[in-house]
Amino acid sequence: MIAYLEFEHFVHGNDTESSPNDDVSSLQTSFHFAPNSIATKDFGGMKSSNPLAVIRPYSTADVARAVKAAATTANLTVAARGNGHSINGQAMAEKGLVLDMRATAEEHFQLLYLEGVPYVDVSGGALWEEVLKRCVSQFQLVPRSWTDYLGLTVGGTLSNAGVSGQTFRYGPQTANVTELEVVNGKGESLVCSENQNSELFFASLGGLGQFGIITRARIILQQAPDMVRWIRVIYSEFEDFTKDAEWLVTLPEGDGFDYVEGFVVVKNDDPCNGWPTIPMGSNQTFNPVRIPSSAGPVLYCLELALHYRKTSRSSDVDTKVDRLLGGLRFVEGVKFEDDVKYVDFLLRVKRVEEDAKAKGIWDAPHPWLNMFVSKSDIADFDREVFKKILNSGVGGPILVYPLLRSKWDDRHSVVVPDSNIFYIIALLRFIPPPPKGPPTDKLVAQNNAIIQLCYNKGFNFKLYLPHYLTQENWKRHFGDKWNRFVQRKHNFDPLAILAPGQKIFSRNQLQ
Ligand code: FAD
């Protein structure tokens, strides 16, 4: 039986009800849980857990009540669950309370102007897709910094960073928020910003859910573009690819593209990783004859986008695009372009989701790996990893594109390599489950081998969406920021109630 606690009434799996003031500890005996409840699994599909209860909070006050109840119950932990798109059980709570933050999605949605700048207050449990659609339809305004896929919650990505092709310009999503409402590990609900409860504000951004549950975020907006010129160009040489990508991300706003990403393509007709993945429309085809015979086992695709208004003259858009592309070294003639609505561009991965669901690989295990590698080590990474270990692909996109260190705020909890430019690498495996696909353990082992190689070679790198099983490894991950992280935990969640699925701290006994 699955038990959902709603704050109006506690609904038992057998449909009997109890009073909302029941002591949480009594739930242990009253509730039984089905193994297939949403909170027992995540997108990674490799971990499972059995929570004590899944709670649907409808307000910040509900969230605070749940955390307070856990604080007064020995050993009880609380995991906020966004949309459960973690890979390694980060939003799970074994024998703890899981708060289904999606239930709070409607609590906040308000436009405001501060000194002439537009902002929107949204709920921590809102999906970015919902934020996009509501902001465009109601205000013709949009957030500036996105993730590639928008079926993620505001609180979930702000607890990590939130990275996409706009990050080079505006920083990660965490750098585009000016105020949060957070329920800390003592069950206190606090508004925080750079000037108010600032330590909690900085701690929560990229804080892996360790310091508080984000119930509201204030996000900077900009005018919504109408259209996007979406472009892909192909490189046979990694050096040309990185030089061009780094040049593009350092151009001042207004002079360059509005979106810069890149990915690795296997040099064959593999439908998941090969050149069929390059064209954006069914009317486009990739003709490999233009690829020089000197090319290695993989190719590189630079993906670019330029925003424009419906009222812009198409000749102006063409001129700007031609000027920018004219400075690039991609393989001559291997260029794909499309003009799409801005909203459709941002929702492009939703089509991948629909396709993967139809093929039964959306719900299969996803042994993904995400990392940041400094510019100084990226050529070696290409030589050792892309060209050798991954030269047959990963069964899905392999992302690689540069980000600027200056756009990341050191006061936030997330850690990135100390390097002016570093690359995000993402191995987004979409593999049919065994026996059709390879064993998941083998792919996890390949990820671990890549991480180990980075350590052995002394690369300057950090895992993104990190996952470690020992505190020693977490200590190494945070490096000189570890003491600050521990101090923040002590200040804001002294009993270590929150986000136990990250496996950084153990729940302290009541003192
Ligand atoms: P969950 O997985 O539910 O939670 C993640 C962590 O945050 C957990 O520890 C949880 O306890 C905590 N948490 C959740 N909500 C809150 C809250 N309100 N307050 C405090 N803590 C909270 N990431 C990128 O940066 N860029 C991308 O382009 C990108 N694309 C992705 C595409 C797909 C298909 C998938 C599956 C993931 C992608 N991600 C991307 C990764 C994604 O940002 C993280 O996995 C994120 O944690 C998922 O968000 P979620 O809302 O599902 O959070």
Side-chain angles (χ1 to χ4, degrees), residues 43 80 82-86 90 147-148 153 159-160 163 212 214 464 502:
F43 184 80
N83 208 22
H85 277 49
S86 290
Q90 286 95 332
T147 46
D148 292 344
T153 62
S159 298
N160 286 293
V163 178
I214 298 167
Y464 176 48
Q502 298 280 4

Side-chain angles (χ1 to χ4, degrees), residues 17 32 65 81 95 131 134 184 295 308 312 319 375 438:
E17 294 190 6
H32 303 282
R65 284 173 60 200
R81 185 183 195 273
K95 297 193 174 65
V131 174
R134 291 181 79 172
N184 68 16
Y308 62 92
S312 309
T319 305
K375 166 186 157 88

